[in-house]
Amino acid sequence: MVVGGNRRVPQGRRRRRLVALGAAIALLGVVMPFRASTTLAVGAGNAYNVDKGFDSCTLPSWEQMQTWWNYSPYYWYSVYIGGDDAGCPAGNVEGWLNTVHSQGWNFEYTWFGPQAPCTTYNNVFSYNTATAYNQGWQQAYYAVSQLDADGVANGTNEVPIIYDLDAGANGNSACQAAIDSFIQGWVNFANGSYPYQIPGVYGSICNSNLAALAGLNPPPEFIWGADYDGLSPTSILDDGPGGCGVPNGEWVYQQRLKQYNQDRTETYPNNGVSLYVDDDCANALTTPSGSGSPSCN
């Protein structure tokens, strides 16, 4: 990191090939129209990224993002795009995405919809597994539709999209069954829709019981584990108290992100722009491209 008046010259930050646009969704015989964005904010597609990123509840200004691009160790940012239980501002971020991507940033997109029925969130999905499945399927449609409204390549395909599962069943078998069905619906819509998307799930390695989702058929294509051990490697997601966490044999083919520090005020450069953030490492796909200069693993 260079401080003062000198700009860090990023190495390997390059745009990758974009995936062709899709026109509509047809799933289970039902045509699902998307809301068309008037302009294209960000291209679609993806590429592997083995780099540090960050997320924050309050969307930084584009001026703040420019300073952090110049001086911070981060290469990607996770954007909350909406959801019934989203506690962070979301909505249409089209203009912000356009400007910030032009600075060099890549993204993850996170949807914070209803949570498990055994939690205390205001909006929860059903204990009934069939109903929960349909709710997960519907949430994926809403999330992909929001991407389209935000100008993410007008709903085109192969965009990684993450469901924020903030808490799990805590041993409640009926609740775990509902979670499994809900996430299966989320995954199946993304996998079976046209345009095709890449479904992931965020949650605590222990409290959200991410390991249980490996048993779905098919499982989420990638996970983002919250594990506040201060260690960035995504291979370390199995170190929760009592041995809980994600086994090393699950999601091993560049299918992991890790949130390794929480709620920190960081400033770049010294005496520069301060933001309240979580620290992350990706060894996974980001959108619309990736990076060729690994800063974590």
Side-chain angles (χ1 to χ4, degrees):
M1 179 178 68
V2 177
V3 297
N6 296 323
R7 185 187 191 282
R8 178 187 65 184
V9 180
Q11 300 295 320
R13 297 192 179 195
R14 61 185 182 273
R15 196 172 182 84
R16 302 290 179 92
R17 179 180 62 86
L18 302 182
V19 182
L21 299 179
I25 279 183
L27 184 60
L28 300 179
V30 179
V31 175
M32 308 292 284
F34 281 97
R35 295 169 288 174
S37 174
T38 56
T39 60
L40 182 63
V42 181
N46 60 73
Y48 287 110
N49 207 329
V50 189
D51 276 309
K52 291 181 178 179
F54 76 101
D55 63 280
S56 59
C57 190
T58 302
L59 198 69
S61 69
W62 66 263
E63 294 94 342
Q64 292 172 322
M65 293 294 286
Q66 181 67 72
T67 298
W68 273 44
W69 176 261
N70 292 347
Y71 296 106
S72 81
Y74 303 123
Y75 286 74
W76 60 272
Y77 178 78
S78 178
V79 184
Y80 282 102
I81 60 171
D84 292 340
D85 258 310
C88 300
N92 194 306
V93 295
E94 182 177 314
W96 185 91
L97 285 172
N98 185 292
T99 300
V100 170
H101 178 58
S102 71
Q103 296 168 357
W105 293 97
N106 286 297
F107 306 105
E108 296 288 356
Y109 300 118
T110 302
W111 183 260
F112 199 155
Q115 297 294 297
C118 52
T119 66
T120 58
Y121 283 89
N122 292 330
N123 297 287
V124 297
F125 48 86
S126 176
Y127 269 107
N128 181 283
T129 55
T131 303
Y133 176 90
N134 290 333
Q135 290 171 320
W137 191 93
Q138 186 178 53
Q139 288 296 310
Y141 165 69
Y142 290 154
V144 174
S145 181
Q146 186 61 51
L147 283 181
D148 186 60
D150 288 338
V152 181
N154 294 322
T156 192
N157 61 354
E158 296 197 10
V159 173
I161 188 166
I162 298 165
Y163 197 88
D164 190 322
L165 184 69
D166 248 27
N170 293 316
N172 182 327
S173 59
C175 189
Q176 186 64 57
I179 292 170
D180 292 349
S181 292
F182 180 88
I183 296 299
Q184 191 71 78
W186 167 265
V187 170
N188 285 358
F189 178 89
N191 279 336
S193 67
Y194 182 81
Y196 163 80
Q197 311 299 340
I198 302 175
V201 176
Y202 164 88
S204 165
I205 60 166
C206 294
N207 292 338
S208 301
N209 196 15
L210 290 181
L213 303 180
L216 302 185
N217 185 24
E221 295 194 30
F222 66 102
I223 56 167
W224 182 6
D227 181 16
Y228 304 128
D229 58 5
L231 304 174
S232 64
T234 60
S235 58
I236 308 174
L237 289 176
D238 61 344
D239 59 340
C244 65
V246 180
N248 290 332
E250 305 292 353
W251 294 288
V252 296
Y253 300 107
Q254 292 192 286
Q255 296 171 281
R256 293 181 170 206
L257 301 99
K258 181 178 182 180
Q259 188 178 78
Y260 59 93
N261 283 319
Q262 180 188 35
D263 297 340
R264 290 158 48 95
T265 298
E266 299 181 25
T267 304
Y268 300 102
N270 291 338
N271 301 315
V273 173
S274 296
L275 296 174
Y276 193 59
V277 305
D278 303 324
D279 298 333
D280 305 292
C281 175
N283 190 351
L285 298 172
T286 55
T287 187
S289 57
S291 172
S293 56
S295 63
C296 64
N297 58 17

PDB file of all heavy atoms in Angstrom, residues 45-62:
ATOM      1  N   GLY A  45     -21.388 -11.755 -16.379  1.00  0.00           N
ATOM      2  CA  GLY A  45     -20.286 -12.687 -16.413  1.00  0.00           C
ATOM      3  C   GLY A  45     -19.521 -12.688 -15.102  1.00  0.00           C
ATOM      4  O   GLY A  45     -19.971 -12.161 -14.088  1.00  0.00           O
ATOM      5  N   ASN A  46     -18.360 -13.307 -15.109  1.00  0.00           N
ATOM      6  CA  ASN A  46     -17.607 -13.512 -13.883  1.00  0.00           C
ATOM      7  C   ASN A  46     -16.190 -13.941 -14.231  1.00  0.00           C
ATOM      8  O   ASN A  46     -15.893 -14.269 -15.380  1.00  0.00           O
ATOM      9  CB  ASN A  46     -18.276 -14.598 -13.032  1.00  0.00           C
ATOM     10  CG  ASN A  46     -18.359 -15.922 -13.771  1.00  0.00           C
ATOM     11  OD1 ASN A  46     -17.349 -16.604 -13.955  1.00  0.00           O
ATOM     12  ND2 ASN A  46     -19.553 -16.293 -14.224  1.00  0.00           N
ATOM     13  N   ALA A  47     -15.344 -13.952 -13.227  1.00  0.00           N
ATOM     14  CA  ALA A  47     -14.013 -14.553 -13.334  1.00  0.00           C
ATOM     15  C   ALA A  47     -13.524 -14.811 -11.919  1.00  0.00           C
ATOM     16  O   ALA A  47     -14.020 -14.216 -10.950  1.00  0.00           O
ATOM     17  CB  ALA A  47     -13.045 -13.649 -14.093  1.00  0.00           C
ATOM     18  N   TYR A  48     -12.555 -15.692 -11.786  1.00  0.00           N
ATOM     19  CA  TYR A  48     -12.054 -16.037 -10.459  1.00  0.00           C
ATOM     20  C   TYR A  48     -11.259 -14.881  -9.864  1.00  0.00           C
ATOM     21  O   TYR A  48     -10.505 -14.200 -10.548  1.00  0.00           O
ATOM     22  CB  TYR A  48     -11.208 -17.304 -10.516  1.00  0.00           C
ATOM     23  CG  TYR A  48     -12.036 -18.535 -10.718  1.00  0.00           C
ATOM     24  CD1 TYR A  48     -11.998 -19.238 -11.914  1.00  0.00           C
ATOM     25  CD2 TYR A  48     -12.891 -18.980  -9.716  1.00  0.00           C
ATOM     26  CE1 TYR A  48     -12.781 -20.360 -12.108  1.00  0.00           C
ATOM     27  CE2 TYR A  48     -13.675 -20.106  -9.893  1.00  0.00           C
ATOM     28  CZ  TYR A  48     -13.625 -20.796 -11.095  1.00  0.00           C
ATOM     29  OH  TYR A  48     -14.413 -21.896 -11.283  1.00  0.00           O
ATOM     30  N   ASN A  49     -11.458 -14.700  -8.576  1.00  0.00           N
ATOM     31  CA  ASN A  49     -10.806 -13.637  -7.840  1.00  0.00           C
ATOM     32  C   ASN A  49     -10.218 -14.238  -6.572  1.00  0.00           C
ATOM     33  O   ASN A  49     -10.926 -14.890  -5.804  1.00  0.00           O
ATOM     34  CB  ASN A  49     -11.832 -12.558  -7.485  1.00  0.00           C
ATOM     35  CG  ASN A  49     -11.210 -11.180  -7.318  1.00  0.00           C
ATOM     36  OD1 ASN A  49     -10.066 -11.073  -6.903  1.00  0.00           O
ATOM     37  ND2 ASN A  49     -11.981 -10.146  -7.615  1.00  0.00           N
ATOM     38  N   VAL A  50      -8.947 -14.074  -6.364  1.00  0.00           N
ATOM     39  CA  VAL A  50      -8.285 -14.543  -5.145  1.00  0.00           C
ATOM     40  C   VAL A  50      -7.708 -13.301  -4.485  1.00  0.00           C
ATOM     41  O   VAL A  50      -6.497 -13.083  -4.460  1.00  0.00           O
ATOM     42  CB  VAL A  50      -7.206 -15.593  -5.445  1.00  0.00           C
ATOM     43  CG1 VAL A  50      -6.702 -16.227  -4.148  1.00  0.00           C
ATOM     44  CG2 VAL A  50      -7.749 -16.674  -6.374  1.00  0.00           C
ATOM     45  N   ASP A  51      -8.617 -12.493  -3.957  1.00  0.00           N
ATOM     46  CA  ASP A  51      -8.236 -11.183  -3.468  1.00  0.00           C
ATOM     47  C   ASP A  51      -9.102 -10.772  -2.287  1.00  0.00           C
ATOM     48  O   ASP A  51     -10.204 -11.285  -2.085  1.00  0.00           O
ATOM     49  CB  ASP A  51      -8.392 -10.131  -4.566  1.00  0.00           C
ATOM     50  CG  ASP A  51      -7.182 -10.068  -5.475  1.00  0.00           C
ATOM     51  OD1 ASP A  51      -6.062  -9.964  -4.948  1.00  0.00           O
ATOM     52  OD2 ASP A  51      -7.361 -10.122  -6.700  1.00  0.00           O
ATOM     53  N   LYS A  52      -8.603  -9.801  -1.561  1.00  0.00           N
ATOM     54  CA  LYS A  52      -9.357  -9.233  -0.461  1.00  0.00           C
ATOM     55  C   LYS A  52     -10.444  -8.294  -0.975  1.00  0.00           C
ATOM     56  O   LYS A  52     -10.280  -7.623  -2.000  1.00  0.00           O
ATOM     57  CB  LYS A  52      -8.437  -8.475   0.489  1.00  0.00           C
ATOM     58  CG  LYS A  52      -7.490  -9.380   1.268  1.00  0.00           C
ATOM     59  CD  LYS A  52      -6.601  -8.590   2.214  1.00  0.00           C
ATOM     60  CE  LYS A  52      -5.700  -9.518   3.010  1.00  0.00           C
ATOM     61  NZ  LYS A  52      -4.807  -8.763   3.934  1.00  0.00           N
ATOM     62  N   GLY A  53     -11.564  -8.286  -0.242  1.00  0.00           N
ATOM     63  CA  GLY A  53     -12.646  -7.369  -0.521  1.00  0.00           C
ATOM     64  C   GLY A  53     -13.231  -6.892   0.787  1.00  0.00           C
ATOM     65  O   GLY A  53     -12.743  -7.232   1.872  1.00  0.00           O
ATOM     66  N   PHE A  54     -14.302  -6.106   0.705  1.00  0.00           N
ATOM     67  CA  PHE A  54     -14.948  -5.660   1.926  1.00  0.00           C
ATOM     68  C   PHE A  54     -16.430  -5.466   1.683  1.00  0.00           C
ATOM     69  O   PHE A  54     -16.899  -5.392   0.542  1.00  0.00           O
ATOM     70  CB  PHE A  54     -14.293  -4.391   2.478  1.00  0.00           C
ATOM     71  CG  PHE A  54     -14.628  -3.105   1.754  1.00  0.00           C
ATOM     72  CD1 PHE A  54     -15.570  -2.221   2.273  1.00  0.00           C
ATOM     73  CD2 PHE A  54     -13.973  -2.749   0.584  1.00  0.00           C
ATOM     74  CE1 PHE A  54     -15.858  -1.026   1.631  1.00  0.00           C
ATOM     75  CE2 PHE A  54     -14.256  -1.556  -0.065  1.00  0.00           C
ATOM     76  CZ  PHE A  54     -15.203  -0.690   0.462  1.00  0.00           C
ATOM     77  N   ASP A  55     -17.178  -5.432   2.780  1.00  0.00           N
ATOM     78  CA  ASP A  55     -18.598  -5.116   2.717  1.00  0.00           C
ATOM     79  C   ASP A  55     -18.923  -4.150   3.834  1.00  0.00           C
ATOM     80  O   ASP A  55     -18.205  -4.059   4.836  1.00  0.00           O
ATOM     81  CB  ASP A  55     -19.456  -6.382   2.809  1.00  0.00           C
ATOM     82  CG  ASP A  55     -19.287  -7.120   4.119  1.00  0.00           C
ATOM     83  OD1 ASP A  55     -18.295  -7.862   4.274  1.00  0.00           O
ATOM     84  OD2 ASP A  55     -20.150  -6.967   5.003  1.00  0.00           O
ATOM     85  N   SER A  56     -20.004  -3.408   3.660  1.00  0.00           N
ATOM     86  CA  SER A  56     -20.432  -2.435   4.656  1.00  0.00           C
ATOM     87  C   SER A  56     -21.933  -2.275   4.557  1.00  0.00           C
ATOM     88  O   SER A  56     -22.524  -2.503   3.505  1.00  0.00           O
ATOM     89  CB  SER A  56     -19.731  -1.087   4.447  1.00  0.00           C
ATOM     90  OG  SER A  56     -20.001  -0.574   3.159  1.00  0.00           O
ATOM     91  N   CYS A  57     -22.546  -1.891   5.666  1.00  0.00           N
ATOM     92  CA  CYS A  57     -23.998  -1.726   5.676  1.00  0.00           C
ATOM     93  C   CYS A  57     -24.409  -0.477   4.913  1.00  0.00           C
ATOM     94  O   CYS A  57     -25.390  -0.488   4.182  1.00  0.00           O
ATOM     95  CB  CYS A  57     -24.499  -1.660   7.122  1.00  0.00           C
ATOM     96  SG  CYS A  57     -26.305  -1.747   7.277  1.00  0.00           S
ATOM     97  N   THR A  58     -23.663   0.578   5.079  1.00  0.00           N
ATOM     98  CA  THR A  58     -23.947   1.830   4.379  1.00  0.00           C
ATOM     99  C   THR A  58     -23.100   1.903   3.124  1.00  0.00           C
ATOM    100  O   THR A  58     -21.875   1.774   3.170  1.00  0.00           O
ATOM    101  CB  THR A  58     -23.642   3.040   5.279  1.00  0.00           C
ATOM    102  OG1 THR A  58     -24.431   2.942   6.467  1.00  0.00           O
ATOM    103  CG2 THR A  58     -23.969   4.340   4.570  1.00  0.00           C
ATOM    104  N   LEU A  59     -23.743   2.120   2.004  1.00  0.00           N
ATOM    105  CA  LEU A  59     -23.033   2.169   0.731  1.00  0.00           C
ATOM    106  C   LEU A  59     -22.090   3.366   0.710  1.00  0.00           C
ATOM    107  O   LEU A  59     -22.516   4.509   0.875  1.00  0.00           O
ATOM    108  CB  LEU A  59     -24.054   2.282  -0.409  1.00  0.00           C
ATOM    109  CG  LEU A  59     -23.585   1.922  -1.812  1.00  0.00           C
ATOM    110  CD1 LEU A  59     -23.321   0.420  -1.916  1.00  0.00           C
ATOM    111  CD2 LEU A  59     -24.634   2.348  -2.829  1.00  0.00           C
ATOM    112  N   PRO A  60     -20.791   3.124   0.536  1.00  0.00           N
ATOM    113  CA  PRO A  60     -19.865   4.262   0.465  1.00  0.00           C
ATOM    114  C   PRO A  60     -20.155   5.126  -0.764  1.00  0.00           C
ATOM    115  O   PRO A  60     -20.691   4.649  -1.771  1.00  0.00           O
ATOM    116  CB  PRO A  60     -18.489   3.599   0.351  1.00  0.00           C
ATOM    117  CG  PRO A  60     -18.684   2.194   0.834  1.00  0.00           C
ATOM    118  CD  PRO A  60     -20.082   1.838   0.450  1.00  0.00           C
ATOM    119  N   SER A  61     -19.791   6.374  -0.685  1.00  0.00           N
ATOM    120  CA  SER A  61     -19.925   7.239  -1.856  1.00  0.00           C
ATOM    121  C   SER A  61     -18.911   6.811  -2.910  1.00  0.00           C
ATOM    122  O   SER A  61     -17.911   6.153  -2.608  1.00  0.00           O
ATOM    123  CB  SER A  61     -19.681   8.698  -1.473  1.00  0.00           C
ATOM    124  OG  SER A  61     -18.304   8.908  -1.145  1.00  0.00           O
ATOM    125  N   TRP A  62     -19.162   7.224  -4.145  1.00  0.00           N
ATOM    126  CA  TRP A  62     -18.205   6.841  -5.183  1.00  0.00           C
ATOM    127  C   TRP A  62     -16.855   7.528  -4.962  1.00  0.00           C
ATOM    128  O   TRP A  62     -15.806   6.984  -5.326  1.00  0.00           O
ATOM    129  CB  TRP A  62     -18.755   7.123  -6.571  1.00  0.00           C
ATOM    130  CG  TRP A  62     -18.969   8.568  -6.935  1.00  0.00           C
ATOM    131  CD1 TRP A  62     -20.135   9.279  -6.861  1.00  0.00           C
ATOM    132  CD2 TRP A  62     -17.981   9.468  -7.446  1.00  0.00           C
ATOM    133  NE1 TRP A  62     -19.936  10.569  -7.284  1.00  0.00           N
ATOM    134  CE2 TRP A  62     -18.623  10.712  -7.658  1.00  0.00           C
ATOM    135  CE3 TRP A  62     -16.624   9.352  -7.754  1.00  0.00           C
ATOM    136  CZ2 TRP A  62     -17.961  11.831  -8.150  1.00  0.00           C
ATOM    137  CZ3 TRP A  62     -15.953  10.461  -8.240  1.00  0.00           C
ATOM    138  CH2 TRP A  62     -16.623  11.679  -8.440  1.00  0.00           C
TER     139      TRP A  62
END
